[in-house]
Amino acid sequence: MTTMGTFNHNRSSERESTQKVSTKIVLSLLGLIALSGCSATGAAIGVGAAAANTAAEERSFNKAVTDVQIQIKINDLLLQENIDIFRKVNIQVSEGKVLLSGNVELPDHRITAVKQAWKAPGVREVINEIEINNDSGITDYAQDVWISTQLKTAIIFDKKVTSINYNIDTVNQNVYLLGIAQDENEVNRVIAHAKDIDYVKRVVSYVVLKDSPSRNQ
């Protein structure tokens, strides 16, 4: 009886310790995101994403939090600058590297989006893959979503790919990859999966290797 009681007490202590750590993580995220001036809705979404993914990601906890802050801040800047740009530009962030994609109506909108992205604290690089395309419609968007979904599913079920380390965006049937790969073989597998999907025109990879010196610059 004494042994069982001690065992249960230890299990209870472990649960309490885990809960305390989880609470501290969430509170830290809330505090950090609040300091960036983000909206409550954006902060809540960011906290949920970062807290759920950090343990399994190649990124450190601090970098994951910073990436959430950057993405929310850029969204906020674009919304304040021009609602059309905000609606049509997609944002992916990995360790301070920002990938902008989507379809806009005017060349100036591409320039504006990049300028606003650089204003967010913590941005190390901005990649501009925004296209000027007035003809893109609901059908094109649906096809892009379908392609992204197919690719995400493929790499989730590929045991040789750590799928959580990849961000995927598809615009006009062009697939853009951002994230961190364990090695060349892994990123090549992801690219091969993308090329095997119907309607994909092009695959563009901005994925860095886990051991790349650029991650520490």
Side-chain angles (χ1 to χ4, degrees):
M1 293 294 292
T2 302
T3 303
M4 182 61 70
T6 301
F7 175 76
N8 289 336
H9 174 72
N10 289 339
R11 290 292 298 274
S12 177
S13 298
E14 289 176 3
R15 285 196 297 269
E16 289 177 3
S17 177
T18 301
Q19 289 171 351
K20 288 178 181 179
V21 171
S22 299
T23 300
K24 288 176 69 176
I25 289 173
V26 172
L27 289 175
S28 297
L29 280 164
L30 282 170
L32 287 168
I33 294 174
L35 287 174
S36 70
C38 300
S39 67
T41 301
I45 294 171
V47 167
N53 294 336
T54 297
E57 281 193 276
E58 196 61 49
R59 291 181 299 180
S60 68
F61 172 77
N62 288 338
K63 287 182 178 180
V65 173
T66 299
D67 287 345
V68 171
Q69 289 181 289
I70 290 171
Q71 186 166 4
I72 296 174
K73 185 60 178 177
I74 295 174
N75 268 316
D76 185 52
L77 288 166
L78 294 181
L79 179 60
Q80 294 181 43
E81 179 68 24
N82 187 308
I83 192 168
D84 285 334
I85 300 176
F86 166 77
R87 288 174 51 246
K88 296 181 179 180
V89 172
N90 306 323
I91 305 165
Q92 303 285 347
V93 186
S94 178
E95 297 191 325
K97 180 187 290 186
V98 178
L99 172 61
L100 303 177
S101 59
N103 294 298
V104 295
E105 297 178 359
L106 302 172
D108 285 349
H109 288 178
R110 295 180 79 247
I111 298 171
T112 299
V114 172
K115 286 182 177 179
Q116 295 303 315
W118 274 114
K119 291 181 181 180
V123 172
R124 298 169 54 238
E125 181 182 354
V126 177
I127 303 167
N128 185 4
E129 288 286 357
I130 301 171
E131 299 183 27
I132 302 168
N133 185 352
N134 296 325
D135 298 326
S136 181
I138 298 297
T139 302
D140 295 315
Y141 175 76
Q143 193 169 65
D144 289 343
V145 171
W146 182 83
I147 290 172
S148 291
T149 302
Q150 293 295 307
L151 180 54
K152 289 175 183 177
T153 302
I155 66 174
I156 284 173
F157 286 99
D158 187 335
K159 294 182 179 180
K160 295 183 179 180
V161 175
T162 308
S163 60
I164 197 170
N165 290 322
Y166 290 84
N167 294 326
I168 298 167
D169 191 29
T170 306
V171 179
N172 301 329
Q173 294 81 58
N174 298 314
V175 177
Y176 299 100
L177 304 174
L178 183 68
I180 305 165
Q182 300 299 305
D183 51 40
E184 287 281 0
N185 289 333
E186 185 185 76
V187 69
N188 287 338
R189 289 184 69 86
V190 175
I191 292 172
H193 281 305
K195 289 182 176 179
D196 282 342
I197 299 171
D198 291 340
Y199 309 113
V200 169
K201 296 177 180 177
R202 186 170 60 119
V203 181
V204 182
S205 174
Y206 292 104
V207 175
V208 297
L209 300 183
K210 179 177 67 174
D211 298 327
S212 172
S214 66
R215 294 185 61 205
N216 299 317
Q217 293 178 356

